[in-house]
């Protein structure tokens, strides 16, 4: 990656606080979604604006699953939320959001916007994951 570039590296699902990705979850459990991003040194030092967001999609039901972020996902590079070249944003899916979704296939769509207008944008899609029946 160049010094003026920013990109999403990957988006993945895991069990809460687990260090590794997972693709099967209990309908009574919780899910964490991790969005990993990188920013080049020049762009980072310039303090440009960014915003990261996700959509958790239940493909089987053709609906979105609500999620909450565990911290701010927008600001300026070099702020407390993105202080270095690599950054992780963590989102949380509550057990109540999974109720009635047993046997459903799902996927996460993520995007990163950089700038104030005429945005530089990057997108990533997670592996499919299953809410166990």
């Amino acid at each position: 990656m160049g010094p003026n570039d920013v990109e999403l590296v990957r988006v993945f699902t895991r069990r809460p606080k687990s260090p590794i990705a997972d693709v099967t979850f209990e309908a009574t459990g919780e899910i964490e979604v991790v969005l990993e991003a990188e920013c080049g040194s020049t762009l980072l030092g310039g303090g440009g604006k960014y915003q990261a967001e996700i959509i958790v999609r239940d493909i089987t039901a053709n609906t979105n699953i609500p999620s909450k972020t565990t911290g701010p996902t927008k600001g300026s590079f070099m702020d407390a939320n993105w202080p270095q070249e690599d950054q992780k944003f963590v989102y949380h899916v509550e057990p109540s959001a999974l109720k009635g979704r047993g046997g459903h296939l799902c996927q996460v769509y993520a995007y990163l916007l950089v700038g104030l207008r005429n945005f530089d944008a990057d997108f990533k899609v997670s592996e499919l994951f299953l809410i166990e029946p």
Side-chain angles (χ1 to χ4, degrees):
M1 172 172 34
N4 295 311
D5 295 328
V6 62
E7 66 180 38
L8 295 177
V9 177
R10 71 177 177 151
V11 58
F12 65 95
T13 53
R14 68 182 185 190
R15 295 178 188 282
K17 308 295 184 206
S18 174
I20 59 172
D22 201 344
V23 293
T24 57
F25 300 93
E26 297 85 15
T28 58
E30 302 173 46
I31 300 172
E32 279 186 353
V33 178
V34 180
L35 178 56
E36 295 179 341
E38 294 179 350
C39 179
S41 59
T42 301
L43 188 57
L44 180 71
K49 300 286 185 189
Y50 67 87
Q51 178 178 345
E53 297 294 338
I54 66 164
I55 297 168
V56 183
R57 189 79 180 147
D58 180 335
I59 295 169
T60 304
N62 197 28
T63 59
N64 292 339
I65 300 173
S67 66
K68 299 177 184 176
T69 181
T70 60
T73 60
K74 62 181 173 180
S76 299
F77 296 114
M78 290 293 290
D79 68 10
N81 304 313
W82 196 323
Q84 58 200 31
E85 283 87 358
D86 62 316
Q87 182 59 38
K88 289 183 183 178
F89 298 102
V90 180
Y91 301 81
H92 189 77
V93 178
E94 301 284 338
S96 60
L98 301 179
K99 187 176 181 179
R101 297 184 191 272
H104 290 208
L105 279 173
C106 304
Q107 195 165 36
V108 179
Y109 301 88
Y111 66 89
L112 176 65
L113 299 176
V114 176
L116 296 175
R117 48 182 252 225
N118 298 325
F119 294 101
D120 181 11
D122 197 16
F123 309 93
K124 285 287 185 262
V125 179
S126 74
E127 297 285 328
L128 289 170
F129 62 95
L130 176 69
I131 308 302
E132 295 174 353

